[in-house]
Amino acid sequence: MTRALSGAISPALRDALEQWLTQLAALDDASDHTIDAYRADVAEFLDFLARHHGGAAGMAQLRAVETRDLRSWMAHARAHDRGARSLARALSALKGFARWLSDRHEDFDATAILSARAPRHQRPLPRPLDEDAARAVTQSISDDKSEAWIRARDTAVATLLYGCGLRISEALGLTGRDAAIAETPGASLRILGKGGKERLVPVIPAAAQAVARYTGLCPYPIDPDAPLFRGMRGGPLNPRLITRAMEGVRLRLGLPASATPHALRHSFATHLLSRGGDLRAIQELLGHANLSTTQIYTGVDTARLMEAYNAAHPRARKG
């Protein structure tokens, strides 16, 4: 959903911002969510600039931005409970816009903006399930449901998340045309991920069996262009229903609140890595654009190793 820009931004600067966002969407294949976030981030800074100096923020005010203006903006944002990670993203968006302006206007010096340092933030480690818990979730996610086809449906979705490392949006984006592939062990699903990036994901036997059971029980026709996973009335399956199913099985199994659908994808990556999986291969399977995103799972593995050390090694105990 597009957010309206503030009236505190001059028409010329507003148009420039929209041109930059349009280019990001067209050439860089940025998602609608990313575009909306960047629009809001840059608009927030320009609103602050207008209040800070008075009047509408225009090209002249942006040209005159100094390091102290950026520091004041970040201090203001932190004082209003904006997190370091969120603020770092906002500064990144502002830098992208400033760089784009400097490429098109010889008199626009973006040095002050581009040299600004984002606040340091520690990226939180993913919280995967252990292997036994992940297996239990996929086997009993909707045991409390009376309809066999819904139990089979939720099991198939959960098994694709854990067994193939899919995001929930990717699993629910599969169509009837993908069914034959998803039911074939060793075949590869063509997944359209974030930013329209395609990747091939091999189907493990457990996932193939789960999908085949679901398609055999589903009361609706598996049409090539229709969603593979259906809701009770035959429409596309709402991801919220899978979230609720996870909440239910989490309570039944006594799992922590971090046991969400996305935790199954984290578990896929962590368990592959702990068993010697190649980091580059895991990056491809997850569809990460940058290896640094995948490397966060090495931190999870190290953290688990330290937990085991502290629990078991005699020299780890105090006293």
Side-chain angles (χ1 to χ4, degrees), residues 165-189:
L166 302 190
R167 300 177 178 92
I168 190 167
S169 60
E170 294 168 348
L172 300 191
L174 297 175
T175 66
R177 188 173 285 108
D178 300 309
I181 298 173
E183 295 172 0
T184 306
S188 293
L189 282 168

Side-chain angles (χ1 to χ4, degrees), residues 10 12-13 16 57-64 97 101 105 108:
S10 73
L13 196 52
M59 291 293 263
Q61 288 84 354
L62 199 55
R63 284 191 187 96
F97 181 47
L101 286 173
H105 301 276
F108 188 89

Side-chain angles (χ1 to χ4, degrees), residues 201-268:
V201 177
V203 181
I204 65 171
Q209 293 166 12
V211 173
R213 175 167 171 75
Y214 160 70
T215 57
L217 293 173
C218 181
Y220 301 103
I222 308 297
D223 296 326
D225 295 320
L228 174 58
F229 295 109
R230 308 290 191 89
M232 179 69 77
R233 298 180 180 178
L237 177 59
N238 189 319
R240 178 58 189 156
L241 295 178
I242 297 299
T243 300
R244 288 177 184 169
M246 280 293 297
E247 290 170 355
V249 74
R250 183 176 75 213
L251 291 173
R252 294 195 301 276
L253 296 176
L255 300 176
S258 58
T260 63
H262 203 64
L264 292 174
R265 174 174 155 91
H266 290 325
S267 303
F268 164 85

Side-chain angles (χ1 to χ4, degrees), residues 53-281:
H53 294 292
M59 291 293 263
Q61 288 84 354
L62 199 55
R63 284 191 187 96
V65 164
E66 299 178 0
T67 301
R68 62 184 179 183
D69 296 315
L70 293 159
R71 287 175 179 167
S72 295
W73 165 57
M74 287 189 275
H76 174 80
R78 292 303 297 270
H80 286 77
D81 296 325
R82 184 153 195 186
R85 184 178 180 186
S86 173
L87 192 53
R89 185 200 68 191
L91 180 59
S92 177
L94 180 60
K95 286 182 176 181
F97 181 47
R99 191 179 294 109
W100 183 86
L101 286 173
S102 67
D103 289 342
R104 283 155 183 77
H105 301 276
E106 292 183 1
D107 61 342
F108 188 89
D109 184 2
T111 301
I113 295 175
L114 296 181
S115 61
R117 293 185 178 182
R120 292 185 178 182
H121 65 282
Q122 185 172 4
R123 191 171 183 178
L125 290 176
R127 300 181 66 183
L129 305 174
D130 64 36
E131 293 185 22
D132 289 340
R135 188 179 300 109
V137 165
T138 59
Q139 292 173 346
S140 58
I141 182 169
S142 287
D143 280 357
D144 57 336
K145 301 293 191 303
S146 58
E147 300 87 348
W149 78 274
I150 289 184
R151 294 198 301 272
R153 179 199 68 190
D154 294 355
T155 295
V157 172
T159 307
L160 286 170
L161 301 184
Y162 176 52
C164 301
L166 302 190
R167 300 177 178 92
I168 190 167
S169 60
E170 294 168 348
L172 300 191
L174 297 175
T175 66
R177 188 173 285 108
D178 300 309
I181 298 173
E183 295 172 0
T184 306
S188 293
L189 282 168
R190 189 174 297 276
I191 300 298
L192 188 65
K194 285 186 176 180
K197 183 181 179 182
E198 283 193 350
R199 69 184 191 277
L200 293 176
V201 177
V203 181
I204 65 171
Q209 293 166 12
V211 173
R213 175 167 171 75
Y214 160 70
T215 57
L217 293 173
C218 181
Y220 301 103
I222 308 297
D223 296 326
D225 295 320
L228 174 58
F229 295 109
R230 308 290 191 89
M232 179 69 77
R233 298 180 180 178
L237 177 59
N238 189 319
R240 178 58 189 156
L241 295 178
I242 297 299
T243 300
R244 288 177 184 169
M246 280 293 297
E247 290 170 355
V249 74
R250 183 176 75 213
L251 291 173
R252 294 195 301 276
L253 296 176
L255 300 176
S258 58
T260 63
H262 203 64
L264 292 174
R265 174 174 155 91
H266 290 325
S267 303
F268 164 85
T270 305
H271 298 167
L272 281 181
L273 186 63
S274 67
R275 289 175 176 265
D278 177 74
L279 198 61
R280 285 284 183 184

Side-chain angles (χ1 to χ4, degrees), residues 4-19 46 57 97:
L5 294 177
S6 167
I9 304 172
S10 73
L13 196 52
R14 184 184 293 110
D15 290 344
L17 177 56
E18 289 302 330
Q19 289 174 28
L46 297 177
F97 181 47

